């Protein structure tokens, strides 16, 4: 149950787009059978919030500036039109369907310059 | 509106036991799968355990054999019995509703501190 790999930090200026990568394996992100990658936003001292599920679906109420994708064993979260309120920690997560567990990435701190 | 409220967190000595609870409201509790996710101070998120609507359970390797997840649908309650606690179990423990294999709703968390 190894953690997914995320960059420690990503930064961008207001209005720019940024992309956070999340590296996994063929057992989780790259699974042929499952597309259960999700992304969470967490502001300091706050509860995590689901931003993306099933690789690229947005829950009701989440801005369409947030989008997700997957290629091979790597998932990505893109934030377009970066805003000050987007400054937070972001975690990717994948379900592993062979031995049944979820694995998170180590988290990426997004800084709006 | 879905509400998940955790309780039971405390300061406990290594080797001790603790039982966490999560009270759910605003949802058809018995229809949903539920999880515990934890976050050590200043660290990232870690999935701990899952219980399906039918009662099947899964555990992270780090807690397997020490933690037991259970649910009481009549009381709309989710529990986590934690035994043989270790220093590295220190964390905020969140109750989270699972939908589409994602953690859709989260409680505010309860702090478990394991220290002598």
């Amino acid at each position: 149950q190894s953690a997914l790999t995320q960059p420690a930090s990503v930064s961008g200026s207001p209005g720019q787009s940024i992309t956070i990568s999340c590296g996994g394996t063929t057992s989780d992100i790259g699974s042929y059978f499952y597309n259960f990658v999700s992304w969470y936003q967490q502001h300091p001292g706050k509860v995590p919030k689901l931003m993306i599920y099933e690789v690229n679906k947005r829950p009701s109420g989440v801005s369409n500036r947030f989008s997700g994708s997957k290629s091979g064993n790597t998932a990505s979260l893109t934030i377009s039109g970066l805003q000050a309120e987007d400054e937070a920690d972001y975690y990717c997560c994948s379900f592993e369907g062979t031995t049944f567990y979820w694995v998170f990435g180590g988290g990426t701190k997004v800084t709006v310059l | 509106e879905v509400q998940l409220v955790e309780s039971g967190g405390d300061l406990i000595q290594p080797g001790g036991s603790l039982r966490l609870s999560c009270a759910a409201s605003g949802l058809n509790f018995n229809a949903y799968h539920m999880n515990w996710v934890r976050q050590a101070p200043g660290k990232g998120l870690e999935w701990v355990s899952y219980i399906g609507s039918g009662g099947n359970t899964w555990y992270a390797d780090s807690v397997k054999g020490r933690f037991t997840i259970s649910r009481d649908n009549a009381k709309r309650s989710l529990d986590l019995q934690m035994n043989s606690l270790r220093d590295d179990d220190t964390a905020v423990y969140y109750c989270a509703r699972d939908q589409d294999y994602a953690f859709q709703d989260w409680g505010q968390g309860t702090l478990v501190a394991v220290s002598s």
Side-chain angles (χ1 to χ4, degrees):
Chain A
Q1 299 183 357
S2 299
L4 305 175
T5 302
Q6 295 182 238
S9 62
V10 172
S11 61
S13 299
Q16 285 188 330
S17 292
I18 62 169
T19 296
I20 303 169
S21 62
C22 175
T25 69
T26 54
S27 297
D28 38 62
I29 292 178
S31 171
Y32 178 82
F33 298 103
Y34 299 97
N35 272 317
F36 297 133
V37 177
S38 52
W39 289 88
Y40 302 85
Q41 176 192 64
Q42 187 178 33
H43 288 105
K46 300 297 185 181
V47 175
K49 175 185 177 183
L50 177 65
M51 304 301 284
I52 296 287
Y53 67 101
E54 288 185 7
V55 178
N56 55 16
K57 297 179 180 178
R58 278 187 307 277
S60 174
V62 172
S63 170
N64 59 7
R65 297 187 297 104
F66 292 84
S67 62
S69 63
K70 183 182 90 165
S71 178
N73 296 343
T74 300
S76 299
L77 174 72
T78 297
I79 309 174
S80 58
L82 200 61
Q83 299 179 2
E85 67 204 50
D86 300 331
E87 190 162 286
D89 293 325
Y90 291 83
Y91 296 91
C92 61
C93 183
S94 179
F95 177 71
E96 199 284 345
T98 302
T99 50
F100 306 115
Y101 63 85
W102 281 264
V103 59
F104 282 94
T108 297
K109 182 176 180 59
V110 168
T111 301
V112 180
L113 301 172
Chain B
E1 179 193 1
V2 174
Q3 272 204 314
L4 302 171
V5 179
E6 302 91 340
S7 61
D10 205 349
L11 172 63
I12 188 88
Q13 290 189 339
S17 297
L18 204 59
R19 190 176 186 89
L20 306 182
S21 292
C22 171
S25 61
L27 76 166
N28 184 10
F29 181 73
N30 60 347
Y32 290 106
H33 314 314
M34 299 295 295
N35 292 266
W36 289 96
V37 177
R38 68 185 180 183
Q39 186 169 33
K43 302 295 184 182
L45 300 170
E46 180 188 16
W47 171 75
V48 173
S49 184
Y50 158 100
I51 185 165
S53 58
N56 58 313
T57 58
W58 303 331
Y59 297 92
D61 285 348
S62 58
V63 306
K64 202 171 293 182
R66 301 186 299 121
F67 290 12
T68 302
I69 192 172
S70 61
R71 65 190 298 161
D72 185 330
N73 289 335
K75 295 181 179 179
R76 298 190 176 191
S77 176
L78 174 73
D79 287 348
L80 185 68
Q81 176 66 42
M82 304 186 296
N83 298 330
S84 303
L85 282 162
R86 312 186 303 219
D87 289 350
D88 62 359
D89 293 319
T90 294
V92 173
Y93 284 73
Y94 295 102
C95 162
R97 179 177 73 91
D98 174 349
Q99 183 166 333
D100 300 316
Y101 294 89
F103 306 112
Q104 193 78 228
D105 298 296
W106 299 66
Q108 289 299 309
T110 187
L111 176 63
V112 173
V114 183
S115 175
S116 53

